[in-house]
Amino acid sequence: MKVGTDGVLLGAWVSIKDTPNSILDIGAGTGLIALQMAQRSYAETVDAIELDDEAYEQCVENFEASQWSDRLFCYHASLQEFTEELEETYDLIVSNPPFYIENVTSGDKSRDKARQNLSLPFKELLDGVKKLLSNEGDFAVIIPFKEEKNFLKQAITFGLYVNRITHVKGNPDSEIKRSLLQFSFYETTIQKDELVIEIERHQYTKAYQELTAPFYLKM
């Protein structure tokens, strides 16, 4: 399955300065972000949740084939099922959530319905994070920029306060496309910056190269 820029960005960007011992990737897809977390940290536990059958199977294969297989585990479940069964909490939670926006369709009704069923509403995501995140933990997510205000507003209702914001643009002249956000249960001064991916087509900025180079065989 295709490796998306969003996942690579989040896995490279999220701060692990507090050396988390346990990490959870919600909506793991094929396991990319969880693998990045295993590569970047010394966390003893790097868990993932994935509901889609095909993605789950490939996630498990990717985990088993990696050099960090002893620390990685993927659960085949919805976030709600996982939250109901688990009593532990995590030091760091990351998510590139599968979102479904009604006005963006593929033209294939059955595929759109499947996407909608597998999507993770922000309210459900935030509710799960509140229950699964340790008191001193961090939560990081990447979402469409146009959803940022709504997401921040909802996060506060769950006691989650944004600490870092990075706005992502495809090139210097394009509009902001994505928001990288990191939260905790404590209010702090918000660190804000901007990341531009390309100067022009296939000519990556120095900032993007420095951020993501550890995860590409060739950059």
Side-chain angles (χ1 to χ4, degrees), residues 5 29 37 78 143 175 188 206:
T5 302
M37 293 296 93
S78 68
I143 59 172
E175 295 181 354
T188 62
K206 184 179 180 182

Side-chain angles (χ1 to χ4, degrees), residues 3-14 16 23 25 31-42 46 63 66 68 71-72 92 94 96 211-216:
V3 172
T5 302
D6 286 1
V8 175
L9 273 174
L10 179 62
W13 174 87
V14 59
I16 54 169
I23 301 172
D25 180 7
L32 170 69
I33 299 171
L35 286 161
Q36 287 178 280
M37 293 296 93
Q39 179 177 327
R40 289 186 59 201
S41 75
Y42 295 102
V46 183
F63 283 2
S66 80
W68 310 286
R71 296 192 284 142
L72 290 155
L92 175 63
V94 292
N96 174 16
L211 182 66
T212 61
F215 308 104
Y216 286 105

Side-chain angles (χ1 to χ4, degrees), residues 54-65:
E54 283 187 49
Y56 165 75
E57 289 175 9
Q58 191 163 354
C59 184
V60 171
E61 285 180 21
N62 290 339
F63 283 2
E64 290 177 349

